[in-house]
Amino acid sequence: MDVVFGLLLLLLLGISKGVKTYCDGRQDGAQCYGALGGTLVLKLMDSASEIYKYQWLNKTTVILNGRKNRIVNNQIENRSSFTHSDGVFRIYNLSQTDDGEYALEIFDSHGSKLVHQNQKLTIQAPVSSVQLVSECLSQGEMKVSCSSEGGDSPQYSWTLDGQTLTDTQLLSGNNETNNITLKQDTSGLLVCTVRNHISTISACGFIYTNCTLPNGKLVSPWVIIATNNLCIESTTTPNWIDTEDRSLPQYAVRAAVVFLVLIGIAFYFVWKTKKFKEAQCCPITKTTENQNTSVLIAEFTRSASEL
């Protein structure tokens, strides 16, 4: 029983989340980015509590329609939530079909349109991994390639000992390509960073060793990249967002788990109570066998309270 409760508690507390992105859509023409399978936290307005009527729509459909503190209709209510007090619309489990152009419209009590703000939402797959591969060249130069998996529209950048690579260190390539060649006398902590609008991941390492050509010739001391070292940059939360995620789907799942736990506990105590009453109140039948006649004799015993 304790094991079951422990597993349920882990399920209750350990709800996984995808990549979360933020967008301030209060400015007309805002460009928003969302992660495929992740969550978009979209700031539509300062507050909806005093707005007579508002709607958020794409070119063909009114997705969110509300009046003051009441949501009239939400086409994606199974994977979204809207908070009236701060005007934040959260959309979960983003897909490529969410990519497109949207608009927020606000009306007064006479039906006149007060605000029309456009937003564009672009859905991207996040970068999942990055790896460095190095190769010694004939004159002691080092060719380094940076490859990544996943990620739409990846952008590359390089640093050496925390500083952007310069032309004095590069024999070919530039700081924004995924393949570079470093000059012979260049060494240090080399970092390749791959990013798009919704993710950033870096590979880094510095292990000083000899640079040896495939034919066995020792060229020069060099830095070999430790491809298994990842340096992931932290993300920041905008100051307009409440850091506590008040997502309805998350709370619904947790509430369901708690409900199931309480039901299980209730059934357990009902079963225990029933067994206890049977032991105290009901006659116990004891069957013995007469050794001489081989006739079964039923002996009934009752509790001391009945005697």
Side-chain angles (χ1 to χ4, degrees), residues 54-73:
Y54 58 88
Q55 59 183 22
W56 190 66
L57 64 158
N58 57 22
K59 291 183 178 180
T60 60
T61 306
V62 176
I63 298 172
L64 178 68
N65 183 13
R67 295 173 181 267
K68 294 188 176 181
N69 287 319
R70 181 171 64 92
I71 295 178
V72 177
N73 182 47

Side-chain angles (χ1 to χ4, degrees), residues 89-100:
F89 191 37
R90 291 177 173 86
I91 306 175
Y92 313 96
N93 194 23
L94 294 167
S95 66
Q96 291 292 352
T97 58
D98 294 315
D99 193 292

